[in-house]
């Protein structure tokens, strides 16, 4: 019999399966390949020290999650995987005009109050620099009023790292099936496995890691899984043959950002469309919002070439924290979802925690803030 079935094959699902396999568990992943999966669209900014939107509890686990990437990369190297797109590049947080100064000052106050005991020597908090200094780091920068600089912020290519984890998981014996799970099998208060179109598969435990689609399993488990899809549109452009690989991430106060990659490629994001439903379309409004702000930050990008559009449906929880833990009153059922727009930051680490929990080990950190039944 299988030890674990993981439902969902994004970065969270395969990270969970990978860690379970490294612990010796016989594991199977089901993934139906939904269009709009958040993993396939994410830009991969690893910068909790510059995040002024999410609550302190998010910040605490995000710092741990970014530190976990070092362990993850070591594990992946052991399994022959080295292509992740990871780089320390820094991040600039901009106030573009006088109207954004108040938000800039508020962000500074929030960041200054973050729990300092969580900050390692490799993760300095942002400091204010001049616009001229910022322009040396990001040569396309137009006019701005104030700038914060997070020197040790990093980025990772979501597609590359997810593919690396998937391949390493399969090398470790994880089986993956491109099938839809029709229902979770239960016998009173105990999970037995899952049912698909091709039959039933039994396992000692089932982990729901279905991203924005996780909620569909709530009725079967007798429990409300409090996630909804939030659409995010991201656009990749090519800015000539500029040496952009060492440029910093650029963000601001309208939910948008720029993530430079080598060879002139820059990812421009993002929309945060709560209430979008399962509708992974590029829209005129989304394009206008993202590209309009990008060209305000960097006017020269008006001459860039649009090379790709990506749309991800993020699994958003009501309090912006992941949903991670055992399903109440259903032995052997577990959830790891609700990561919102920070799945690439948190996903590999929450996958580790979910695997530890499901295999009867004590998770390496307290999961109480993320318990599935915290919503009334």
């Amino acid at each position: 019999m299988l030890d674990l079935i993981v439902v969902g094959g994004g970065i969270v699902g395969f990270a969970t399966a990978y860690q379970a396999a490294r612990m010796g568990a016989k594991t199977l992943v089901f993934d139906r390949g939904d269009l709009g999966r958040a993993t396939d669209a994410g830009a991969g900014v690893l910068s909790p020290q510059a995040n002024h939107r999410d609550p302190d509890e998010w910040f605490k686990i995000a710092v741990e999650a970014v530190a976990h990437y070092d362990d993850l990369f070591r594990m992946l190297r052991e399994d022959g995987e080295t292509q992740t797109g990871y780089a320390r590049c820094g991040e600039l947080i901009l106030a573009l005009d006088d109207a954004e100064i108040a938000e800039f000052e508020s962000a500074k106050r929030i960041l200054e109050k973050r729990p300092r005991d969580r900050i390692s020597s490799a993760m300095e908090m942002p400091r204010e620099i001049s616009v001229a200094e910022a322009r040396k780091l990001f040569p396309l920068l137009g006019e701005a009023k104030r700038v914060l600089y997070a020197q040790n912020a990093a980025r990772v290519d979501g597609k590359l790292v997810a593919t690396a984890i998937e391949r390493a998981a399969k090398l470790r014996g994880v089986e993956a099936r491109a099938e839809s799970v029709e229902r979770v099998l239960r016998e009173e208060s105990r999970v037995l496995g899952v049912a698909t179109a091709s039959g039933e598969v039994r396992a000692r435990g089932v982990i729901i890691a279905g991203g924005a689609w996780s909620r569909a399993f709530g009725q079967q488990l007798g429990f409300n899984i409090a996630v909804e899809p939030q659409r995010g549109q991201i656009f990749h452009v090519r800015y000539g043959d500029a040496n952009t690989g060492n440029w910093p991430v650029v963000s601001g106060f309208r939910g948008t950002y720029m993530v430079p990659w080598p060879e002139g490629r820059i990812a421009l994001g993002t929309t945060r469309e709560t209430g979008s439903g399962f509708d992974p379309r590029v829209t005129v409004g989304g394009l206008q919002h993202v590209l309009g702000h990008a060209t305000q930050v960097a006017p020269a990008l008006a001459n860039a070439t649009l090379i790709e559009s990506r749309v991800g449906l993020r699994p958003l929880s009501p309090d912006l924290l992941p949903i991670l833990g055992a399903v109440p009153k259903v032995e052997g059922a577990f959830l790891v979802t609700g990561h919102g727009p920070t799945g690439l930051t948190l996903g590999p680490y929450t996958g580790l925690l979910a695997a530890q929990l499901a295999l009867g080990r004590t998770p390496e950190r307290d999961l109480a803030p993320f318990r599935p039944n915290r919503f009334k």
Side-chain angles (χ1 to χ4, degrees):
M1 177 184 286
L2 290 167
D3 295 302
L4 285 178
I5 290 173
V6 179
V7 181
I11 193 168
V12 176
F14 266 109
T16 303
Y18 180 48
Q19 296 294 345
R22 291 185 66 94
M23 296 176 205
K26 189 175 181 181
T27 306
L28 169 62
V29 175
F30 283 100
D31 182 41
R32 65 188 182 192
D34 291 296
L35 185 65
R37 190 171 62 175
T39 295
D40 296 334
V45 181
L46 305 180
S47 183
Q49 68 270 41
N51 181 304
H52 50 86
R53 298 180 306 273
D54 295 310
D56 276 354
E57 207 59 62
W58 177 92
F59 174 77
K60 292 174 185 177
I61 192 172
V63 169
E64 297 166 7
V66 169
H68 170 70
Y69 263 100
D70 289 338
D71 291 334
L72 175 66
F73 293 150
R74 174 185 52 77
M75 296 175 194
L76 291 175
R77 286 194 298 270
E78 290 174 0
D79 292 329
E81 298 294 335
T82 59
Q83 299 302 310
T84 61
Y86 177 83
R88 287 194 180 276
C89 57
E91 180 176 1
L92 302 175
I93 305 100
L94 307 178
L96 289 182
D97 50 36
D98 290 336
E100 294 184 347
I101 294 297
E103 292 177 278
F104 183 90
E105 292 290 355
S106 175
K108 281 187 69 175
R109 288 192 295 270
I110 291 169
L111 296 177
E112 287 167 358
K113 292 179 181 178
R114 290 298 197 193
R116 297 288 165 157
D117 61 329
R118 299 281 170 164
I119 302 298
S120 69
S121 58
M123 186 181 290
E124 299 175 357
M125 294 301 287
R127 58 185 173 86
E128 188 161 1
I129 64 173
S130 70
V131 174
E133 289 175 295
R135 194 169 286 116
K136 289 179 181 178
L137 296 167
F138 187 79
L140 302 187
L141 180 61
E143 297 300 319
K145 292 292 185 180
R146 304 275 294 277
V147 184
L148 287 173
Y149 179 41
Q151 183 172 353
N152 292 319
R155 57 162 167 77
V156 67
D157 187 310
K159 284 187 175 182
L160 284 179
V161 75
T163 298
I165 293 171
E166 180 178 347
R167 285 199 298 245
K170 292 175 179 177
L171 181 70
R172 292 276 175 171
V174 172
E175 183 185 356
R177 298 186 190 176
E179 293 183 61
S180 175
V181 171
E182 296 180 347
R183 69 183 187 280
V184 177
L185 300 175
R186 287 178 57 185
E187 185 176 74
E188 297 181 351
S189 62
R190 171 72 195 174
V191 158
L192 301 177
V194 301
T196 73
S198 57
E200 296 182 352
V201 183
R202 301 294 176 118
R204 296 182 178 87
V206 174
I207 301 178
I208 304 299
W213 292 267
S214 298
R215 190 168 198 148
F217 296 97
Q219 186 174 1
Q220 299 166 26
L221 295 171
F223 181 77
N224 177 38
I225 302 174
V227 295
E228 65 171 314
Q230 181 198 63
R231 183 167 59 197
Q233 302 182 49
I234 299 174
F235 306 93
H236 288 238
V237 301
R238 181 86 62 193
Y239 185 72
D241 57 357
N243 184 20
T244 51
N246 294 323
W247 290 5
V249 172
V250 179
S251 63
F253 299 97
R254 302 181 197 178
T256 57
Y257 55 73
M258 302 181 187
V259 184
W261 299 90
E263 300 177 349
R265 181 166 64 97
I266 304 176
L268 308 176
T270 180
T271 61
R272 297 173 186 268
E273 300 171 77
T274 304
S276 63
F278 295 95
D279 184 10
R281 289 183 300 123
V282 173
T283 66
V284 172
L287 189 74
Q288 183 180 38
H289 173 72
V290 173
L291 299 189
H293 190 239
T295 53
Q296 184 181 2
V297 173
L301 287 179
N303 196 42
T305 302
L306 181 62
I307 57 174
E308 185 180 5
S309 302
R310 299 181 185 180
V311 181
L313 301 174
R314 311 175 183 109
L316 192 68
S317 74
D319 61 3
L320 307 179
L321 296 176
I323 297 170
L324 171 57
V327 175
K329 301 179 181 179
V330 185
E331 185 181 355
F334 306 89
L335 301 177
V336 55
T337 184
H339 297 76
T342 58
L344 287 175
T345 297
L346 303 180
Y349 186 52
T350 57
L352 168 66
L353 298 172
Q356 291 171 337
L357 180 67
L359 294 176
R361 304 192 181 192
T362 301
E364 62 184 57
R365 67 105 68 211
D366 180 20
L367 301 185
F370 317 111
R371 64 190 185 281
N373 63 344
R374 66 187 186 270
F375 306 109
K376 301 299 181 182

